[in-house]
Amino acid sequence: DNGKKLDKDEVPTARAVIQQEILIKEQMILAGEEATCRDISKQLAPLILTQWHKSNAKFCPPVIITEKNLLQRVERLWKRLDDVARRRVTKKETEKENFLLDKLMDITTCPHTIMLCHEPDSGCPDQEECKQNAHIQCSCLRNSKIPVMELEWLYYQRGKTGEKSEMKMGEVDWEETENQVKSAKNKTDKEAATVKKLDKQQKEEADNIDLEKQAKQFMTEGVDLENNIVEEDVLEPGNVWKKKEQEEAAKIVGILLKNKMGKAAYLV
């Protein structure tokens, strides 16, 4: 096949991926760059992800595979077809690869079958009133599920043979995409705020533990927290703290304990 750009209105088949890969390789060679399989795949993987993201902003990990996993899949595809071209595989394997070339390179993580409303096992409650037109019996984790509004579109993408499907991507619904992007950002912001709050709580708990240790230390050193008095025999000769300074410190610790434990502070 000759080099060719991905169709802007379709998510690519394996053949379309190979054609784009050939085009990238040709451009790299013309630019005098080293065109290894890994270098080509690094440029190709983001292009594939962009096509999926154009369809729906929710087509991102974990709904689809990560860029790292896609990179590996593209490399494996290239090597398999290289083996076919060099006749390193059996005739049966060659026929299988030729068939898969014109099928969708499906990068969704959900393996479950999508069915249209009229299919017997679709589970559609009302074919005439149903607006989503397609259904799926999916046991994937919630954040890995295919967006409901894309089920029908993905049904036709998975079933197509060749680059064109019966239901192409068409014009992007920018309003819907913007809402999805905002929703994803809000979720990220909330998660960051939660982490920040937990960090603050952990720091406060650590500070409280330090204060309690200090209070217990004062108690063992003969400090009367109830009356903020330091016993005379606690002061060792040459001690850098004066009695008045220790009593002030004891007073502060006593206040902190009362704030934390109320009337039971004297029991510490």
Side-chain angles (χ1 to χ4, degrees), residues 136-200:
I136 187 170
Q137 302 296 325
C138 176
S139 58
C140 295
L141 295 175
R142 184 176 179 181
N143 61 352
S144 299
K145 291 181 180 293
I146 298 165
V148 173
M149 64 184 298
E150 301 300 339
L151 286 175
E152 183 184 13
W153 170 81
L154 187 56
Y155 170 89
Y156 287 109
Q157 291 294 332
R158 284 179 171 180
K160 70 181 180 181
T161 299
E163 192 62 20
K164 300 294 183 181
S165 66
E166 292 184 39
M167 189 176 183
K168 67 179 183 178
M169 193 183 304
E171 294 298 324
V172 177
D173 186 342
W174 293 112
E175 184 177 353
E176 175 62 23
T177 299
E178 184 179 358
N179 290 337
Q180 291 169 1
V181 171
K182 285 182 179 178
S183 176
K185 184 178 183 302
N186 289 338
K187 182 179 179 182
T188 301
D189 291 344
K190 286 181 180 179
E191 289 174 349
T194 300
V195 171
K196 186 176 180 180
K197 183 178 179 181
L198 288 174
D199 288 343
K200 184 179 179 181

Side-chain angles (χ1 to χ4, degrees), residues 209-224:
I209 291 172
D210 288 340
L211 288 174
E212 290 175 4
K213 286 181 179 178
Q214 290 176 26
K216 289 179 181 179
Q217 183 179 357
F218 275 110
M219 183 182 68
T220 58
E221 291 178 353
V223 178
D224 183 354

Side-chain angles (χ1 to χ4, degrees), residues 19-35:
Q19 289 175 330
Q20 177 69 71
E21 198 160 8
I22 292 171
L23 180 61
I24 292 172
K25 182 177 181 180
E26 292 170 346
Q27 293 171 342
M28 292 180 72
I29 292 173
L30 287 174
E33 300 175 5
E34 185 178 4

Side-chain angles (χ1 to χ4, degrees), residues 5 11 39 51 57 60 77 88 90-91 115 140 148 179 186-187 242-243 246 252-253 255 260 268:
K5 288 184 177 181
V11 282
D39 292 330
Q51 286 301 104
C60 57
L77 173 63
R88 295 172 179 166
T90 64
K91 182 179 179 181
M115 290 172 281
C140 295
V148 173
N179 290 337
N186 289 338
K187 182 179 179 182
K242 296 179 181 179
K243 180 178 179 180
Q246 284 197 344
I252 293 171
V253 174
I255 292 171
K260 182 176 179 62
V268 178

